[in-house]
């Protein structure tokens, strides 16, 4: 048994040496011409109107293939090349410390099971603990100093923050990658926090690391915003077809308004559209044309936001029709009708809502760059300033309202006293004193009404500011 204890002791010492040595390095048919008023405004609104009349087929979104996570290389001694490497180093160190503690407990158990006096056993255990603590302290100091690093270590961006793509599909892949990193960090944060708690790392150090992890997540969220902004810049571009003769149909001429109905369409290219509107034209010219489309040409403006149909990109997000007769552009007013057969296809509803936001300007490009992500996100954002101001005003109004309430009570007591005095002098028949008391009483009642109005107004404003502050959390 003594021999076995000696062997385990030597193994423990060897493990402690390895623990220090292995401390991690820093690591088509002819349609009827519709008036613009008959066409719902927006492709999404048209789709909604169609869905009210026909069932929508269920679609299943294909899950994008997950990319394999690249193995991180060891961090250089002078610093960490990325935040991911920094966090991996902390986790690896924590995982190395836990087995050493388990081994120490096992060795103490073996010593206690040996034959010998309790004093000798205690001396052996104290010597073993002393050696273990000396070895562990060095690694623990490295672990805590790593956690407390004040250096702003950036995530491994690999050029993903640069505006260097023309295909918005590549930007979408980047966003998926950022979202995957957010998910990974949420899991890793819980795992490392549990490890550090087992090692009795201080709460302040654990909170320090959690704040760094939250900053990492905030940067990933901003990276998604940045890349979405890059996508928006591409999608919001207004492109134009070449000027040519499309399929056209002329309708009735309105003599009172001087307008001629027109339908222009094209379903055979990658910019399908179906335009219904009117063109301004004098009656004599309309009579000369006599519903013949010879001499008419058009240019169609459309958004650079494609919809995929059977693997091919088409651009049905038409914005404006420029209609020409011979070489003169005519004034045209109208609307584009949704392309028949697109409404039941997978993803059309989402496409229609997005393209409508581009067309009406709800989605606007912001002049953002990589520094929007890499710099520390400012604490005092516009929403936080508004929220803080609302709560401060709410508290101030509540405080002033409480003070006015106390004043109101004091004035009420004084008014009651003056009322009793006035009634007493009236009963006694002392008119001179009665007139004086009545005057003081009326003045006090007026002051009382002002205090009451002020108190109620302050309480109402305190509630309004408080509600505004709470509501701001949802926007």
């Amino acid at each position: 048994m003594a021999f076995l204890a000696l062997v385990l002791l030597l193994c423990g010492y060897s493990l402690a040496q390895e623990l220090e040595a292995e401390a991690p390095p820093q690591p088509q048919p002819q349609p009827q011409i519709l008036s613009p008023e008959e066409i719902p405004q927006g492709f999404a609104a048209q789709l909604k109107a169609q869905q009210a009349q026909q069932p929508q087929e269920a679609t299943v979104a294909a899950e994008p293939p997950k990319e394999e996570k690249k193995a991180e290389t060891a961090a250089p001694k002078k610093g960490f090349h990325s935040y991911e490497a920094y966090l991996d180093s902390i986790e690896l160190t924590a995982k190395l410390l836990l087995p050493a503690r388990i081994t120490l407990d096992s060795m103490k158990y073996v010593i206690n099971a040996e034959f010998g006096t309790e004093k000798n056993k205690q001396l052996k255990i104290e010597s073993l603990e002393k050696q273990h603590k000396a070895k562990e302290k060095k690694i623990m100091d490295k672990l805590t100093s790593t956690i407390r690093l004040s250096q702003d270590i950036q995530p491994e961006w690999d050029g993903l923050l640069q505006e260097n793509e023309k295909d918005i599909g590549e930007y979408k892949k980047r966003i998926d990658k950022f979202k995957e990193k957010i998910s990974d960090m949420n899991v890793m944060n819980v795992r490392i926090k549990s490890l550090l708690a087992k090692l009795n790392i201080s709460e302040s150090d654990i909170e320090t690391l959690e704040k760094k992890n939250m900053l990492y997540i905030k940067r990933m969220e901003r990276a998604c915003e940045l890349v979405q902004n890059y996508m928006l810049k591409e999608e919001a571009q207004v492109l134009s077809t070449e000027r040519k003769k499309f399929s056209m149909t002329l309708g009735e001429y309105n003599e009172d308004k001087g307008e001629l109905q027109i339908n222009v369409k094209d379903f055979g290219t990658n910019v399908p559209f179906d335009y219904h509107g009117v063109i301004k034209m004098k009656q004599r010219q309309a009579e000369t044309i006599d519903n013949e489309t010879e001499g008419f040409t058009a240019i169609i403006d459309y958004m650079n936001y494609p919809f995929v149909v059977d693997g091919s990109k088409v651009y049905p997000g038409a914005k404006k029709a420029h209609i020409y007769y011979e070489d003169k552009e005519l004034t045209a007013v109208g609307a584009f009708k949704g392309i028949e057969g697109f409404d039941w296809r997978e993803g059309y509803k989402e496409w229609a809502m997005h393209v409508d936001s581009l067309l009406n300007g709800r989605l606007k490009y912001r002049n953002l760059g990589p520094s929007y992500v890499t710099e520390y996100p400012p604490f005092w954002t516009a929403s936080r300033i508004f929220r803080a101001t609302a709560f401060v005003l709410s508290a101030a109004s509540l405080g002033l309202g409480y003070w006015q309430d106390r004043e109101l009570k004091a004035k009420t007591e004084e008014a009651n006293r003056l009322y009793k005095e006035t009634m007493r002098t009236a009963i006694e028949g002392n008119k001179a004193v009665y007139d004086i008391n009545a005057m003081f009483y009326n003045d006090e009642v007026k002051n009382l009404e002002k205090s009451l109005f002020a108190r109620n107004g302050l309480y109402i404003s305190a509630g309004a500011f408080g509600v505004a502050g709470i509501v701001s959390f949802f926007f």
Side-chain angles (χ1 to χ4, degrees):
M1 180 66 72
F3 176 74
L4 177 60
L6 181 60
V7 170
L8 288 173
L9 185 61
L10 291 173
C11 290
Y13 179 77
S14 175
L15 179 60
Q17 292 286 351
E18 291 179 7
L19 182 61
E20 181 180 10
E22 293 180 6
Q26 296 183 334
Q28 334 198 5
Q30 183 76 19
Q32 179 184 358
I33 301 176
L34 304 177
S35 67
E37 293 81 4
E38 295 178 290
I39 303 176
Q41 294 299 311
F43 296 101
Q46 296 176 29
L47 177 62
K48 186 175 181 181
Q50 293 175 5
Q51 288 175 338
Q53 301 178 359
Q54 60 184 17
Q56 181 180 5
E57 296 183 4
T59 59
V60 180
E63 183 179 355
K66 293 185 177 180
E67 299 179 4
E68 294 185 2
K69 187 177 180 181
K70 297 181 180 179
E72 300 287 355
T73 57
K77 293 183 178 180
K78 292 184 179 180
F80 297 92
H81 74 276
S82 69
Y83 188 80
E84 290 85 353
Y86 164 79
L87 210 58
D88 285 342
S89 174
I90 292 175
E91 184 176 27
L92 180 58
T93 305
K95 285 182 177 179
L96 287 174
L97 282 168
L98 283 176
R101 291 191 177 183
I102 296 172
T103 302
L104 175 63
D105 293 337
S106 300
M107 294 173 71
K108 289 164 64 175
Y109 175 80
V110 171
I111 292 173
N112 284 321
E114 291 178 346
F115 291 104
T117 63
E118 291 299 322
K119 185 177 181 180
N120 288 336
K121 292 179 182 179
Q122 189 62 32
L123 288 173
K124 290 180 180 180
I125 290 175
E126 289 177 357
S127 177
L128 186 63
E129 288 178 338
K130 185 177 181 180
Q131 293 177 22
H132 174 81
K133 287 180 180 178
K135 302 299 182 184
E136 185 184 77
K137 185 178 183 303
K138 294 181 180 179
I139 301 177
M140 285 290 288
D141 289 345
K142 291 180 180 179
L143 178 61
T144 54
S145 64
T146 303
I147 292 174
R148 297 171 187 174
L149 275 178
S150 59
Q151 176 187 359
D152 181 19
I153 307 172
Q154 292 287 333
E156 190 171 9
W157 296 119
D158 289 335
L160 297 179
L161 301 181
Q162 301 302 318
E163 184 182 4
N164 52 10
E165 299 288 350
K166 293 298 182 182
D167 184 1
I168 61 175
E170 295 300 318
Y171 284 136
K172 288 180 180 179
K173 291 179 182 178
R174 294 188 190 182
I175 292 175
D176 290 340
K177 193 168 186 176
F178 295 143
K179 289 181 178 179
E180 184 179 353
K181 284 179 176 285
I182 292 173
S183 178
D184 291 343
M185 176 55 72
N186 284 326
V187 174
M188 197 171 188
N189 185 44
V190 174
R191 187 171 68 239
I192 294 180
K193 183 179 179 181
S194 176
L195 283 172
L196 298 180
K198 291 177 182 178
L199 293 171
N200 298 321
I201 300 296
S202 68
E203 283 294 328
S204 62
D205 286 339
I206 294 177
E207 289 177 3
T208 297
L209 186 60
E210 280 192 301
K211 287 179 181 178
K212 292 181 179 181
N213 293 343
M214 293 304 104
L215 175 60
Y216 176 93
I217 291 176
K218 182 65 177 178
R219 279 176 165 156
M220 289 300 157
E221 291 173 345
R222 285 197 159 210
C224 290
E225 289 182 46
L226 177 66
V227 176
Q228 285 173 340
N229 195 58
Y230 291 160
M231 292 172 57
L232 182 59
K233 184 178 181 180
E234 294 296 321
E235 295 166 354
Q237 289 188 59
V238 179
L239 308 179
S240 301
T241 66
E242 62 176 318
R243 178 181 166 184
K244 64 177 184 178
K245 181 176 178 58
F246 294 95
S247 175
M248 294 185 186
T249 304
L250 300 178
E252 296 179 356
Y253 179 77
N254 188 317
E255 296 181 4
D256 296 332
K257 295 182 178 181
E259 295 175 346
L260 177 64
Q261 288 184 330
I262 188 170
N263 171 221
V264 188
K265 62 182 178 180
D266 186 12
F267 303 140
T269 65
N270 66 336
V271 186
F273 66 92
D274 186 5
Y275 177 80
H276 295 254
V278 294
I279 51 177
K280 294 290 184 178
M281 183 173 288
K282 293 181 178 181
Q283 183 177 358
R284 175 181 289 183
Q285 188 175 23
E287 291 173 351
T288 302
I289 292 173
D290 194 24
N291 279 34
E292 294 292 333
T293 60
E294 189 68 30
F296 282 92
T297 55
I299 295 175
I300 305 299
D301 295 340
Y302 61 96
M303 308 305 296
N304 186 30
Y305 181 57
F307 177 60
V308 179
V309 178
D310 299 330
S312 301
K313 293 180 181 180
V314 294
Y315 297 82
K319 179 180 178 68
K320 182 177 176 60
H322 302 272
I323 301 175
Y324 298 82
Y325 181 68
E326 295 180 346
D327 291 330
K328 181 181 179 182
E329 183 175 1
L330 305 174
T331 301
V333 179
F336 291 93
K337 185 181 178 183
I339 306 302
E340 293 184 7
F342 280 14
D343 53 326
W344 55 267
R345 291 184 176 272
E346 179 183 344
Y348 181 78
K349 180 179 179 181
E350 293 76 13
W351 175 90
M353 293 175 65
H354 190 79
V355 80
D356 283 350
S357 296
L358 293 172
L359 289 167
N360 58 35
R362 281 199 300 266
L363 287 176
K364 294 182 179 180
Y365 170 75
R366 294 185 293 166
N367 188 24
L368 302 178
S371 62
Y372 177 74
V373 179
T374 57
E375 293 180 356
Y376 272 108
F379 181 82
W380 288 111
T381 59
S383 60
R384 283 181 173 172
I385 292 173
F386 173 82
R387 190 178 303 132
T389 303
F391 285 136
V392 167
L393 291 174
S394 177
S397 298
L398 186 63
L400 290 172
Y402 178 73
W403 174 76
Q404 280 289 350
D405 186 65
R406 293 181 62 184
E407 289 288 312
L408 183 63
K409 290 178 180 178
K411 290 178 180 179
T412 301
E413 292 177 359
E414 179 64 16
N416 289 335
R417 187 189 67 80
L418 288 171
Y419 177 77
K420 291 178 181 179
E421 286 291 324
T422 304
M423 293 302 296
R424 184 179 62 80
T425 54
I427 294 171
E428 292 175 352
N430 192 340
K431 188 175 185 306
V433 177
Y434 170 80
D435 290 340
I436 295 173
N437 287 341
M439 180 183 65
F440 285 139
Y441 173 72
N442 289 332
D443 290 342
E444 194 64 29
V445 168
K446 291 178 180 179
N447 290 333
L448 187 65
E449 291 175 348
K450 291 179 181 178
S451 295
L452 178 64
F453 179 79
R455 184 201 65 176
N456 293 343
L458 287 168
Y459 280 161
I460 291 171
S461 64
F465 285 127
V467 170
I470 294 171
V471 171
S472 67
F473 283 101
F474 302 96
F475 296 93

